[in-house]
Amino acid sequence: MLWDDRASARESKRHTCWGYTFEESSDHWSKEQIDALKNSYDTSGEACLNILDQVSPPVRGALPRSYSQEQKPSLAGDEKPPPPRDLYDLLRQHHADDPELDQFWTQINTVPEWVDWQQIERGQDVFYRYGGAALTGLAYQSLLGGMGGGRVVETLARTGGFSTKVARRRLFETTQHILQCTKSLQSMQPGGDGFASTIRVRLLHAAVRKRILKLSQEKPEYYSVEKWGIPINDIDSIATILTFSATLIWLSFPRQGIWLRQREIEDYLALWRYVAYVVGCPEGPIETPQKAKALMESLLLHEIKPTDMSKVLANNIIKSLHDQPPGYASADMLIASARWLNGDELCDSLGLARPSLYYKALFAGQCLFFIAVCYTYRSIPPLDRRKVQMLKRVFYAIIVDSNYGLAGTETLFDFKYVPEFSTVTELDSTSQDVPKMRGVEKRNLKSLVIGLGLFGVTSWCTWKVTSLAVGTLWSVAKICYSSISA
């Protein structure tokens, strides 16, 4: 009976959600604890934005009418559009003019005692050590799988930034921020590019929140604070940080056959804990790997509840990315990636199609490629350092500098995707021409064939060696038996 009671207690603490199983501990959060943070948010960031809006009012223009919902000011004649507002630059120039701005400036430039810059730098290198697998996980699990958060997608849908016409660019802008936070230690220290972009993102979040709340006051049915919480609240911000860190560590990487070493886990989490601090997000819940993993699992259990809007945004992401450079991956390949990383249960709830086994095999080939590259390079420190530096240049060239990326213009995270009463993202059913070249699928097929070939050769060699060994032992045994008998 005592054994049965213990087994029952263990079962009561075990949860399975969306193909992931974990055992509840004292570090896990209850639904009530999560709900408590849905109405708290970064008030100091919003107060800073309000003052900066007085210093330099945002440009007023015609209401956006395209699917992109990108706010563009109306111009007369040959008048050139004004440059986008750089809120970080405004803050840097005017913080001494206002006590509240100066207090905010002092706070963000004060480095917490727990920050270890050497650890932060090692955490940056972790991202590039597993670069291809990291970008794959961020795109098809953190972003696309994150659309299963039925409450959060209501905010995303009201920005219009996940229509098919702009979702790809928005993904590139988010990736630019990640690359700036990881490109060098100086970039993430106060005054660096990554630091500045993180403050811009913080103030952009304040602008989106302020706009949606204003519209909901004018028209309550536009957005329900009671049902969905304050837009971009504290738990939303924590969840975003976790999708960039914990989700990669304990979901995306292992499902691609990659496991980080303990020190790498601690270093990578330390990097994102500091990003959380700068962006105005509570960082205490991710101060240790145990806490970060437990909160990730708690959010997976309590917050991933796909809705019809989740289906719209998830499918729009696929439509915006398929058959696009540099990889020219087909929609089936992208969906196979999402299903491999998120599982069929969640992807069915997101309304994603079911690709053939061929595309699943291609993704398996991609995993074999990443496994071979990542484990080989990380085992040889000189090659590892060379690879990290190379990928820093390559990723930035693809995402920011290339014509199919951001065309050489870094985003300042200005308020482009402006919520309006008419702005609710819809499913785009338009199709596009399919190019003949699909480089990433060719690479994955080669990796799969090579992997299967190596497996076959290894199996044959193992069989031959085993047969030879068994034959030799049998011969020796027969000789020994004959000697004894004689």
Side-chain angles (χ1 to χ4, degrees), residues 129-130 261 372-384:
R129 182 169 298 127
Y130 308 99
R261 296 165 290 195
V373 171
C374 293
Y375 280 116
T376 299
Y377 276 84
R378 91 174 190 183
S379 64
I380 307 173
L383 291 181
D384 180 59

Side-chain angles (χ1 to χ4, degrees), residues 223-273:
Y223 180 92
S224 173
V225 174
E226 181 180 358
K227 183 177 181 180
W228 298 315
I230 297 290
I232 316 181
N233 53 57
D234 281 340
I235 198 64
D236 294 342
S237 298
I238 296 172
T240 301
I241 293 294
L242 288 175
T243 59
F244 292 155
S245 55
T247 299
L248 281 184
I249 294 169
W250 288 293
L251 289 177
S252 300
F253 285 151
R255 289 177 180 181
Q256 295 177 81
I258 295 171
W259 280 263
L260 269 59
R261 296 165 290 195
Q262 184 61 30
R263 185 178 182 181
E264 291 177 317
I265 292 173
E266 294 169 357
D267 294 343
Y268 192 62
L269 284 174
L271 165 66
W272 286 103
R273 183 186 177 190

Side-chain angles (χ1 to χ4, degrees), residues 136 256 333 336-337 340-341 359-367 444:
T136 300
Q256 295 177 81
M333 183 66 215
S337 304
W340 187 288
L341 293 173
Y359 290 99
K360 292 183 179 180
L362 285 186
F363 192 80
Q366 178 170 293
C367 292
N444 294 349

